Amino acid sequence: MLLSAHEIAQGRERTLHNLFTLSATGVRIAQQWTALLAAAGRDSFRHGIPPFPQSGFDLAAAQWPMSWWLDNLARAGQLLDQGLTVCGDAQKALIHSADQQLRIIDSLAISAINRASRSSPWEAEVALQAMKSSLQAAEQAVHEISQAALDTVPS
């Protein structure tokens, strides 16, 4: 057996913790979206369509005052900015969770390689150590890419 029962249990526990954290983040993001959309709805009721024009019931957009258009444009821009911030937070959470899950899997793989190399002839041990160093280098590269992605996402 390449992994001990303790290592398997520890890997499962770390994976469940990672999934719990991701789920909690999903709930938090959903709450942010709900609050953002509720505020936008209240704001749109507060600043609704201007009164009917004096010339009857013609609601042609050209007859609405320019201040209404500019006011709504600014509010729409704020709503878009806030929505993109929430999306950025969700993206950061997904990147962080994927990075953590990769670390869990890699730690299990490295543990299995270490255990296999202890009970292998020296020729196999050299190959396993090369595999281990390749895995560690790949993990470091993925971690750096994840960190760069996290740094580029505005929050």
Side-chain angles (χ1 to χ4, degrees):
M1 183 171 183
L2 294 177
L3 293 173
S4 69
H6 176 69
E7 290 169 330
I8 292 171
Q10 191 177 29
R12 285 181 182 164
E13 184 178 325
R14 290 172 58 197
T15 299
L16 286 174
H17 176 64
N18 189 34
L19 290 174
F20 177 74
T21 303
L22 184 62
S23 297
T25 302
V27 169
R28 182 179 51 81
I29 295 296
Q31 288 173 338
Q32 287 176 349
W33 270 115
T34 303
L36 179 64
L37 294 176
R42 284 189 300 271
D43 194 40
S44 66
F45 278 127
R46 203 173 316 122
H47 298 288
I49 296 174
F52 290 123
Q54 297 301 326
S55 63
F57 293 99
D58 183 17
L59 288 177
Q63 295 180 353
W64 291 355
M66 186 54 92
S67 62
W68 183 84
W69 287 104
L70 293 174
D71 214 21
N72 280 326
L73 184 63
R75 283 197 312 277
Q78 289 174 349
L79 179 63
L80 180 62
D81 185 49
Q82 292 169 349
L84 290 175
T85 300
V86 172
C87 286
D89 290 345
Q91 185 178 7
K92 280 185 174 184
L94 287 173
I95 291 170
H96 182 71
S97 177
D99 190 49
Q100 290 300 317
Q101 191 62 37
L102 182 66
R103 287 175 187 262
I104 293 167
I105 293 169
D106 284 348
S107 70
L108 291 174
I110 288 172
S111 180
I113 290 171
N114 287 338
R115 186 177 286 252
S117 67
R118 284 194 298 268
S119 61
S120 298
W122 70 270
E123 300 91 354
E125 186 177 345
V126 170
L128 289 171
Q129 289 304 319
M131 187 187 312
K132 177 181 171 182
S133 65
S134 296
L135 184 62
Q136 288 171 331
E139 180 184 0
Q140 182 62 30
V142 169
H143 177 66
E144 289 172 3
I145 290 169
S146 296
Q147 191 59 46
L150 288 173
D151 292 343
T152 60
V153 176
S155 58

